[in-house]
Amino acid sequence: MPTSRPRLPRRRVALPLAAATLLVPVATACTSSTDSGGSGGDQRLKVAMAFPPAQAMSPYGDDAVTLSRLAVVEGLTRLDRNGKAEPALAASWKRDGERGWTFEVRDGAVFQDGTTLDAAAVVRSLTAAQQASPKPRVLSDTTLTATAEGASTVRITTRDADPLLPQRLANPSLSILSANAYGKDGGQVDPAGHATGPFTLAKLNGAVSATLERNDTYWGSKAKAPGADVKFVADGTARANALRTKDVDVAEYVPISQASLLGDGLVHEFPSARTNGLSLNTERGVFADPAMRAAAREAIDPRALVDGVYEGRADAAQGLLGPGVPWAADLRTAPTGRAEAAAPAEVRKTKEIVLATYTNRPELPEAATVVQQQLEKRGFTVKQVVRDYAQMEADALAGKYDAFIQARNTLLDTADPVSYLASDFTCDGSFNITQLCAKPVDAAVDKAAALADTDARHRAEMTAEAAILGSDALVPLVHERFVQGYDDNRVHGVALDPMERTLITADTRVE
């Protein structure tokens, strides 16, 4: 890989709104192909999801994660509790040269529309993802070329050596869909009825609701629930109230403010590696000056957020990678190359800055208010912009805000932070809200991405973290803990998956 790259036009993709650790889900989406399943009763699931579809369930943005969390789509691989790749639609694989891998497609798997899964279908899906615009975030730091070698063997080559390819292929944006999912005009990709998961997306009612039906031809364990009725409810209090009144069985992302009111029987808290951070626009405006970014960083007190906004259900951020990446703390080094902070008198001379965040995670607007107060105490003049994330994603990626608070899943793409570092902080990163383009950062990320040895890659990733933190492009705020809502006396098989790829599974049921 080159050590630096020219700045390219920013690509517009959906906001990543999540994060991860490495704990085992309560239930996996599929087990043995010989399990007949369907033994959990005949009650349909009622589910409240936090984020409405932003791209009509396109697999190339964050809607892919929603499809995965609803057990609709699958890739060639999936991840175990430690982020290791396991067989899914690929029964096995092996490395074939420095840049090549071969995958054997699972025998007997069919798409929800009745067509057969084969090597040609895999090639079609991976090629479409590679050619998509905007490119899926998971492919922001690599290029895949897939070819069929017979009916059941797929050979995949990458632009550079990619030791994380099996983990990469577990990303929901690289799900395998049937030929019927792809329009002849190359337009919107439609996963409804064309995926392979235990549930079929039967109907999508815009950003309001969706209907899932059990996939009775599923290759693994059949879903124990006959289907699911899904509502997209951006308001966190409304999701909590629906759970309290039993209008829904499962409520995604219960707000911290509602957790203590619901009680332990309805809320389930578990650690995460999600980092909530303050992204500063390094390309234009006040924060193009490194001294102003340093002043903003010095103004922030994460402990006030932990105690005040998160009611102790979060950890003050120490870096980009939190407690859900257990090896990070021991390898962390001091930030490198930091500028000296501008004096308050100089800060007061700057023009008004726009601080933006979104409403879909109810803690973020509260956090923005605290951050605004802290910045103003330092001398900045701050204007807040707070809206639904779907209304602001394009502007955030285009660098139209001076500062942006987001909750970022650092392990979502490949279960290894190198893809997060590449997509968010390198010159041609596809999710670079900070607009950072720095040769030392690119060089450090490139070095980490090229290393096959896990320990060596982790050390290199922490060197890259030190370079990114040294730029003050992002000020880490807190590491959140996930809170999912369901009544554990009557709802079973919900996946508490810190990597956020599963929620509803084949085993999820109401009894």
Side-chain angles (χ1 to χ4, degrees), residues 120-142:
V122 172
V123 170
R124 181 189 307 112
S125 290
L126 295 181
T127 301
Q130 181 62 56
Q131 296 175 349
S133 181
K135 185 184 293 186
R137 202 168 53 242
V138 69
L139 295 180
S140 64
D141 60 339
T142 193

Side-chain angles (χ1 to χ4, degrees), residues 311-382:
E311 300 178 10
R313 295 177 185 264
D315 300 294
Q318 301 300 313
L320 301 178
L321 308 177
V325 189
W327 49 264
D330 290 340
L331 299 178
R332 179 163 287 124
T333 59
T336 56
R338 273 183 169 166
E340 183 177 351
E346 293 300 313
V347 172
R348 285 192 288 270
K349 297 177 183 178
T350 61
K351 65 180 182 178
E352 180 183 71
I353 62 172
V354 176
L355 169 65
T357 195
Y358 42 91
T359 58
N360 305 74
R361 295 195 182 279
E363 295 80 22
L364 294 189
E366 294 182 53
T369 297
V370 175
V371 169
Q372 177 179 357
Q373 294 169 349
Q374 293 177 348
L375 291 173
E376 288 176 340
K377 185 176 181 180
R378 180 75 182 201
F380 291 99
T381 302
V382 183

Side-chain angles (χ1 to χ4, degrees), residues 215-386:
N215 174 17
D216 288 327
T217 63
Y218 184 53
W219 60 269
S221 298
K222 307 302 184 294
K224 293 181 178 179
D229 300 311
V230 180
K231 298 177 181 179
F232 300 105
V233 184
D235 184 89
T237 299
R239 291 196 305 277
N241 287 337
L243 181 67
R244 183 182 292 109
T245 59
K246 298 184 180 180
D247 287 340
V248 299
D249 303 312
V250 180
E252 186 184 42
Y253 301 130
V254 173
I256 297 297
S257 62
Q258 295 293 314
S260 59
L261 299 176
L262 288 172
D264 292 342
L266 292 180
V267 297
H268 304 273
E269 179 183 337
F270 55 109
S272 95
R274 180 192 301 151
T275 297
N276 291 6
L278 176 67
S279 296
L280 302 178
N281 191 331
T282 65
E283 188 175 51
R284 60 185 179 219
V286 171
F287 293 125
D289 182 350
M292 292 299 167
R293 297 199 300 272
R297 184 243 311 153
E298 288 189 354
I300 300 303
D301 175 15
R303 177 51 57 183
L305 296 171
V306 171
D307 296 337
V309 176
Y310 291 92
E311 300 178 10
R313 295 177 185 264
D315 300 294
Q318 301 300 313
L320 301 178
L321 308 177
V325 189
W327 49 264
D330 290 340
L331 299 178
R332 179 163 287 124
T333 59
T336 56
R338 273 183 169 166
E340 183 177 351
E346 293 300 313
V347 172
R348 285 192 288 270
K349 297 177 183 178
T350 61
K351 65 180 182 178
E352 180 183 71
I353 62 172
V354 176
L355 169 65
T357 195
Y358 42 91
T359 58
N360 305 74
R361 295 195 182 279
E363 295 80 22
L364 294 189
E366 294 182 53
T369 297
V370 175
V371 169
Q372 177 179 357
Q373 294 169 349
Q374 293 177 348
L375 291 173
E376 288 176 340
K377 185 176 181 180
R378 180 75 182 201
F380 291 99
T381 302
V382 183
K383 174 186 175 182
Q384 269 197 58
V385 174
V386 180

Side-chain angles (χ1 to χ4, degrees), residues 19-22 79 273 321 324-325 327 408-417 419-420 499 501:
T21 72
L22 299 177
L79 302 177
L321 308 177
V325 189
W327 49 264
R408 182 64 165 103
N409 182 335
T410 63
L411 298 181
L412 181 65
D413 295 330
T414 62
D416 185 283
S419 58
Y420 153 68
M499 276 184 263
R501 297 186 180 190

